[in-house]
Amino acid sequence: AAWVVEGSIPYKDVFSEYPQVPNYLFSVPFIVLSIFQPIETVNSFQYTALFSFMMLAFLALTIILLYRLLPENKDRAFLLLLPASLYFTFNRFDILPAYLTLLSIALVYRNKMSWAVVLLGIGTMTKWYPALLFPIYLTFEFHQTKKINWRMVAVFLTTIIIVVSPTYITGGWEAIKVPYSAHLARGFELVSLPALIQRIILAPLDIEHISNFLGYGFLFLQFLPAMLSPFLRLDTKESVARWSIISIGFFIIFSQIYSPQWLLWFLPFLIIVSRTRKDIFYIVLYDLLIYLAFPVITDTMGVTSGAMVILNSISLALLITILIRTFKQMEQKLSLENAQSFFLGALGK
């Protein structure tokens, strides 16, 4: 948020690895506090306290919305107060895209598709993952109306263009490319699955040179479920929520980045589709494992320690188990017939 203090231009004068919405968000504490004191005198404690309070407010909104969306056992909404969820709400901003995405799903449930994709577009420009849900929405709408809703496509893209346009006006394409170039330049990080494979398998076999191919393969897998949406009959609210879990889960599992706060991305969806005590057990266990890894093990033993490698491997295995259970509970199979109907609908046939 240095740009708002210095009067400089985001992306052009001040580097940022994030899309546009977080850059606006980061400026809010400075702007609010500048009402009471000169902006250049705002210290890190004041800024952090206000920012954390803002994120807790979004957590409260998310819990309230989740409470309303749950058909029964509404107290499960308070699972968002589990240690890892609460910790990363207080220390990161991922609860904002989580709230926007959940609110978007709520509008899908009410068949307000245009407003749903407006929020999805804003969420996408907060953290890019909400874009994974767009083909899910489009497929769901197709099964409701038997035609492709091109208005949704136009509204989604227009929302993104509106959010990005100030960056283009002030810095051109070079400014727009900054966060994307930064992420594309990142290698395998810490204890992500690609990094674990490189460390445990490739390095001992002296075949680390294939890491690039591994990276491209995992990048494809991150987007695979979203791309396969038309092959499923996503015609119920629950199927939309479950396939969203799988799409976000794949993105997390196969990412070369280790970001435990991404738990917040799909935890609300897991809570929505939870039905049994076993479902709750998996949610609680996964949250506790994430919290034990970060911050507990990270702060005491280090992020590259053996304990961290073991614990994150267990967390990844548990997440894969959750995704397998979620798919089985959908009671669906990928079907070429579904895809054919969808793409013929796109052609107007």
Side-chain angles (χ1 to χ4, degrees), residues 234-266:
L234 302 176
D235 56 358
T236 65
K237 297 175 182 179
E238 183 158 326
S239 66
V240 169
R242 290 191 182 280
W243 196 245
S244 296
I245 292 168
I246 292 169
S247 297
I248 297 171
F250 263 64
F251 188 86
I252 293 171
I253 289 170
F254 295 106
S255 175
Q256 63 186 24
I257 301 167
Y258 172 67
S259 291
Q261 68 267 25
W262 291 356
L263 159 81
L264 290 168
W265 295 1
F266 68 94

Side-chain angles (χ1 to χ4, degrees), residues 9-227:
I9 300 173
Y11 302 107
K12 185 178 180 181
D13 301 326
V14 179
F15 170 79
S16 176
E17 64 182 271
Y18 300 114
Q20 280 68 26
V21 174
N23 277 300
Y24 304 142
L25 177 71
F26 297 156
S27 71
V28 172
F30 278 121
I31 294 171
V32 172
L33 291 169
S34 69
I35 298 172
F36 307 99
Q37 64 188 89
I39 195 169
E40 63 273 7
T41 65
V42 174
N43 60 46
S44 60
F45 175 80
Q46 292 172 311
Y47 179 94
T48 303
L50 181 53
F51 189 84
S52 294
F53 178 79
M54 289 165 52
M55 296 304 102
L56 289 173
F58 280 115
L59 175 62
L61 290 172
T62 306
I63 291 173
I64 292 169
L65 179 58
L66 193 55
Y67 187 90
R68 292 176 177 174
L69 288 174
L70 287 168
E72 54 186 16
N73 298 316
K74 290 180 176 291
D75 55 338
R76 292 181 181 182
F78 295 100
L79 287 169
L80 285 176
L81 296 176
L82 285 167
S85 176
L86 189 58
Y87 175 84
F88 289 117
T89 293
F90 195 75
N91 290 284
R92 301 291 189 274
F93 69 92
D94 292 74
I95 191 62
L96 173 57
Y99 172 67
L100 291 171
T101 306
L102 187 64
L103 187 56
S104 175
I105 280 281
L107 291 171
V108 169
Y109 286 0
R110 296 173 62 184
N111 292 316
K112 295 185 177 182
M113 304 305 294
S114 292
W115 284 111
V117 295
V118 166
L119 287 172
L120 201 66
I122 297 172
T124 297
M125 301 317 297
T126 306
K127 282 238 170 166
W128 294 300
Y129 83 91
L132 297 169
L133 275 60
F134 182 72
I136 300 175
Y137 287 12
L138 204 59
T139 304
F140 174 76
E141 176 69 359
F142 170 77
H143 286 293
Q144 303 304 309
T145 64
K146 304 304 178 186
K147 60 183 180 180
I148 300 297
N149 189 335
W150 291 108
R151 177 184 171 86
M152 286 174 58
V153 178
V155 171
F156 180 68
L157 294 177
T158 300
T159 301
I160 291 173
I161 290 170
I162 290 172
V163 174
V164 171
S165 58
T167 302
Y168 178 75
I169 293 169
T170 57
W173 286 111
E174 290 303 314
I176 287 177
K177 291 189 297 183
V178 167
Y180 303 92
S181 299
H183 281 277
L184 288 173
R186 296 170 74 168
F188 295 168
E189 294 185 359
L190 307 173
V191 286
S192 64
L193 180 59
L196 289 173
I197 291 175
Q198 185 180 48
R199 177 176 176 176
I200 297 171
I201 300 175
L202 303 186
L205 295 176
D206 196 25
I207 51 173
E208 290 181 279
H209 58 277
I210 70 169
S211 293
N212 286 339
F213 297 103
L214 181 69
Y216 291 132
F218 277 22
L219 181 63
F220 173 76
L221 289 172
Q222 281 186 273
F223 296 94
L224 182 59
M227 293 188 293

